[in-house]
Amino acid sequence: MPPRDPNTDQKRPVFLDLRRIRFPPQAIASIAHRLTGVLMILAILPATWLFAISLSGPAGFARAGEVLTGIPARLAGLLLALALAHHLFAGIRYLLLDIDIGINRVTARRSALLVMGLAVIAGLGLWWGLWA
Amino acid sequence: MSGLSAWLIQRLSALYLAGFTVYALVRLAMAESFSHAAWSDWLAAPLNAVTLWLAALALLLHAWVGGRDVLLDYVHPLGLRVVMLTILAGWLLGSGIWFGAILLEVM
């Protein structure tokens, strides 16, 4: 019998029980990198709208300020600050991995945890700095 | 845009955006006055305008390559995939053209 080809074999074993798969920090950082990217893509159009009204004149500039200090913008700002911080730090980690820095499993695990810790601290700090 | 060129664009735009983000946040923290006049004057300065044009371009390319990768990985039915890629392209191009038009006006 020829060996099974894992790409075409329809009877290959598949294990996708999400409750029982264990996600190492590297996997969580990777999924978070995607989620935060998508979140920031969603913010591009609203941000462009804010940019537009802020430059439409002194009244528009004041209006943009009001929108930004409202509760919805504060909440969105918190999410986006955390997203930006994570995406930036995780991105730097990937650029380093690209050039083989921190590529071994133990280091990669530690750097993934470091990225997530730094992201929470820097994200909250950024939000605090911008809105408090 | 796919394969090696997408890979390279994603990393070059990432480097520019990382630098720009840090610069923009530091500059914002150093700002002395917040007014429409100060804001539009700052944007009208040629060096700032060029920096921002490049950031917008890098952001759109980065968002396209990243968003496209996510859609190709998770959205499998062909029709839905085409629709979502079209929405993404429209979302980014629309924002980009709008942003460019405002920036041209300020300059």
Side-chain angles (χ1 to χ4, degrees):
Chain A
M1 220 172 86
R4 285 175 162 185
D5 177 349
N7 292 315
T8 56
D9 184 359
Q10 295 301 309
K11 285 183 188 156
R12 69 194 192 280
V14 174
F15 182 79
L16 279 176
D17 187 345
L18 288 178
R19 291 160 303 175
R20 290 173 60 204
I21 293 176
R22 291 187 33 172
F23 288 88
Q26 298 93 309
I28 296 169
S30 170
I31 293 168
H33 193 63
R34 293 189 150 204
L35 269 175
T36 54
V38 170
L39 195 68
M40 288 191 286
I41 287 178
L42 293 177
I44 289 179
L45 193 57
T48 309
W49 171 73
L50 270 176
F51 185 73
I53 59 169
S54 76
L55 285 163
S56 64
F61 187 83
R63 177 84 191 104
E66 282 167 27
V67 172
L68 279 172
T69 47
I71 301 287
R74 281 175 194 272
L75 291 176
L78 176 59
L79 270 179
L80 288 168
L82 288 166
L84 176 66
H86 181 277
H87 205 81
L88 179 63
F89 292 133
I92 292 169
R93 176 172 175 269
Y94 288 129
L95 289 173
L96 293 174
L97 288 172
D98 275 347
I99 50 172
D100 284 350
I101 295 177
I103 202 78
N104 86 69
R105 197 154 51 89
V106 178
T107 317
R109 185 186 169 88
R110 279 193 198 136
S111 65
L113 288 169
L114 178 69
V115 157
M116 289 187 281
L118 277 178
V120 173
I121 295 168
L124 290 176
L126 178 58
W127 184 68
W128 189 260
L130 288 174
W131 269 278
Chain B
M1 185 166 53
S2 60
L4 182 62
S5 69
W7 186 91
L8 197 61
I9 282 173
Q10 198 64 341
R11 277 139 189 90
L12 290 177
S13 57
L15 286 173
Y16 187 86
L17 288 169
F20 174 80
T21 302
V22 173
Y23 166 71
L25 290 174
V26 170
R27 182 63 188 79
L28 187 64
M30 285 173 18
E32 279 162 12
S33 71
F34 290 95
S35 68
H36 174 259
W39 177 220
S40 45
D41 282 352
W42 187 82
L43 288 171
L47 191 62
N48 296 331
V50 170
T51 311
L52 218 61
W53 277 110
L54 286 174
L57 181 67
L59 180 62
L60 290 183
L61 289 171
H62 196 82
W64 170 250
V65 174
R68 189 205 58 163
D69 283 352
V70 169
L71 287 176
L72 292 183
D73 277 352
Y74 302 121
V75 182
H76 296 296
L78 188 63
L80 185 62
R81 183 184 270 191
V82 171
V83 168
M84 299 215 36
L85 285 171
T86 308
I87 292 173
L88 175 63
W91 184 261
L92 296 177
L93 272 179
S95 303
I97 291 169
W98 194 7
F99 182 84
I102 301 161
L103 213 50
L104 277 180
E105 219 173 287
V106 176
M107 288 163 71

